Amino acid sequence: MRSLSFWMLLGTFAVSLGHRHQDQKTGKCQEQDKQMPEMKKKTVHIKEPEKVEKIICGLMRGGASKLQIITDFDMTLTKFSYNGRRCPTCHNIIDNCKLITEECREKLHKLKEKYYAIEIDPHLTIAEKYPYMVEWYNKSHTLLVSQRLQKDKLAEAVRESDVMLKDGYEVFFEKLHESNIPVFIFSAGIGDILEEVIQQAGVYHSNVKVVSNFMDFDENGIMIGFKGDLIHVYNKNDSALKNTCYFNQLKNNSNIILLGDSLGDLSMADGVSNVEHILKIGFLNDKVEESLEKYMKSYDIVLVRDETLDVANALLKKIL
């Protein structure tokens, strides 16, 4: 259901910073001749092109001063697979590293086999999945605590892992940093690992805020638990509402680009009270045939097995 006709229309729609000038003040989108080739990729699926057109127009009129980014991390900013091989999530980086015993690793992998199938089952509702996700995370985190992980060894675990940020991540983060656009990374992964990934990639800039499950360490740097309330893939709305103070500081940033890979990610902007325009972009990585229709009903733009940030970067180029 990918709509090329929409992007043909977008060729006469306002999408160029260099041509915005006077018409931005009058609230109009300036015409231009160039299309966005990124939107013609086979990975792009759009159910309501006119709606998306209207949202993008609003984002462009608002420009940098009104924009903020709210994004998931695992499988959204990072790759799902590379050369046919699965890439690790933040949890998987620990699961696969040499800091844990083989016995613990086997238990963690068995938990993943059981609960990941439930997480992505297109026939179960979020309400039905919810208790299983809590069960999975609690069991997994209990196992990790038993390993007495050392804080100063986490950087090495990340360096030795196969984690990969999506192609185009440098442009994505640098463009947002240059324009001082707030980036809220909202992850059900492990915050300490997440921060290390973007730190090692050189993109953990001052405009980036991370909310995730952070490890708690004793005075000797040994892991003793996790801080705060559990964040899992289907309770992000609760955590979003707890971050209303952050969003209230950005009351003028009423335009949002939301990036996620799960239907649970759709609630990440629930803490924003003054949304003017929000564009929801979803990465569909697994169970594509069974889940595509549901994703297209929920996300404005669905990117199927897309390991790049091409679409997001193309939009930023036009908005900023």
Side-chain angles (χ1 to χ4, degrees):
M1 297 179 70
R2 179 169 55 98
S3 176
L4 289 182
S5 59
F6 163 55
W7 301 111
M8 293 294 288
L9 287 173
L10 196 56
T12 59
F13 175 65
V15 289
S16 173
L17 175 64
H19 294 100
R20 210 160 60 224
H21 301 306
Q22 299 297 328
D23 287 324
Q24 184 178 10
K25 296 179 181 179
T26 60
K28 295 180 179 178
C29 290
Q30 184 73 11
E31 291 186 357
Q32 63 92 41
D33 296 322
K34 293 182 180 180
Q35 298 180 32
M36 296 172 69
E38 296 84 358
M39 298 300 188
K40 298 197 293 183
K41 294 170 61 176
K42 291 181 179 180
T43 59
V44 180
H45 296 255
I46 299 170
K47 184 177 179 64
E48 299 182 68
E50 293 80 11
K51 174 188 174 184
V52 174
E53 177 181 344
K54 183 177 179 181
I55 295 171
I56 294 175
C57 184
L59 295 176
M60 289 174 51
R61 283 199 300 264
S65 64
K66 283 194 170 186
L67 185 64
Q68 65 170 299
I69 307 297
I70 300 177
T71 180
D72 174 50
F73 188 72
D74 289 322
M75 312 299 121
T76 297
L77 295 182
T78 64
K79 292 188 178 185
F80 179 79
S81 65
Y82 180 71
N83 287 339
R85 188 174 179 181
R86 279 292 302 270
C87 294
T89 64
C90 291
H91 277 95
N92 298 154
I93 288 173
I94 295 297
D95 297 352
N96 299 331
C97 78
K98 61 186 180 183
L99 300 178
I100 64 173
T101 64
E102 286 302 320
E103 180 184 1
C104 180
R105 192 184 335 276
E106 184 177 343
K107 290 179 179 179
L108 288 167
H109 286 172
K110 285 183 178 179
L111 289 175
K112 180 183 176 183
E113 286 180 7
K114 175 181 178 179
Y115 291 105
Y116 178 68
I118 296 172
E119 178 187 337
I120 65 171
D121 190 331
H123 306 297
L124 296 176
T125 66
I126 288 179
E128 290 171 325
K129 296 177 182 182
Y130 192 106
Y132 291 104
M133 295 303 101
V134 174
E135 192 174 278
W136 180 14
Y137 276 67
N138 284 337
K139 288 181 178 180
S140 175
H141 288 181
T142 298
L143 284 170
L144 293 182
V145 172
S146 73
Q147 298 299 290
R148 295 178 57 80
L149 298 171
Q150 295 174 262
K151 184 176 183 178
D152 61 3
K153 299 291 186 182
L154 298 181
E156 182 181 1
V158 171
R159 278 194 296 271
E160 294 180 348
S161 75
D162 295 323
V163 67
M164 299 177 69
L165 290 166
K166 278 185 162 62
D167 295 341
Y169 77 88
E170 303 101 325
V171 174
F172 179 78
F173 280 100
E174 291 302 325
K175 188 80 172 175
L176 293 167
H177 182 228
E178 288 171 5
S179 299
N180 198 29
I181 307 301
V183 178
F184 187 78
I185 300 180
F186 201 171
S187 173
I190 300 177
D192 310 77
I193 300 300
L194 189 166
E195 290 188 329
E196 192 61 42
V197 171
I198 57 177
Q199 186 69 52
Q200 291 185 18
V203 294
Y204 197 176
H205 300 304
S206 57
N207 62 316
V208 176
K209 177 179 174 63
V210 176
V211 170
S212 187
N213 298 300
F214 281 89
M215 295 174 172
D216 195 12
F217 300 92
D218 66 16
E219 63 276 8
N220 297 313
I222 302 299
M223 182 188 177
I224 56 174
F226 281 86
K227 301 175 182 177
D229 296 329
L230 173 68
I231 300 174
H232 61 78
V233 68
Y234 293 121
N235 76 339
K236 288 187 175 182
N237 61 318
D238 297 334
S239 298
L241 294 174
K242 291 175 183 176
N243 281 277
T244 51
C245 289
Y246 166 83
F247 292 122
N248 285 339
Q249 294 173 6
L250 304 175
K251 59 183 178 181
N252 294 324
N253 300 76
S254 54
N255 289 345
I256 301 169
I257 295 179
L258 181 148
L259 303 165
D261 77 307
S262 162
L263 295 179
D265 291 330
L266 291 161
S267 64
M268 291 190 297
D270 284 2
V272 184
S273 60
N274 59 326
V275 178
E276 188 173 354
H277 302 286
I278 180 168
L279 182 69
K280 299 177 181 180
I281 302 175
F283 290 87
L284 178 53
N285 301 305
D286 211 348
K287 297 282 185 182
V288 172
E289 291 74 18
E290 302 95 323
S291 303
L292 181 57
E293 183 178 355
K294 188 175 291 186
Y295 268 63
M296 289 184 68
K297 286 180 179 178
S298 304
Y299 282 102
D300 302 307
I301 299 175
V302 178
L303 304 176
V304 174
R305 296 193 177 102
D306 191 330
E307 302 294 357
T308 77
L309 291 170
D310 290 350
V311 169
N313 286 337
L315 289 166
L316 292 177
K317 184 177 179 181
K318 305 306 179 183
I319 295 168
L320 303 178

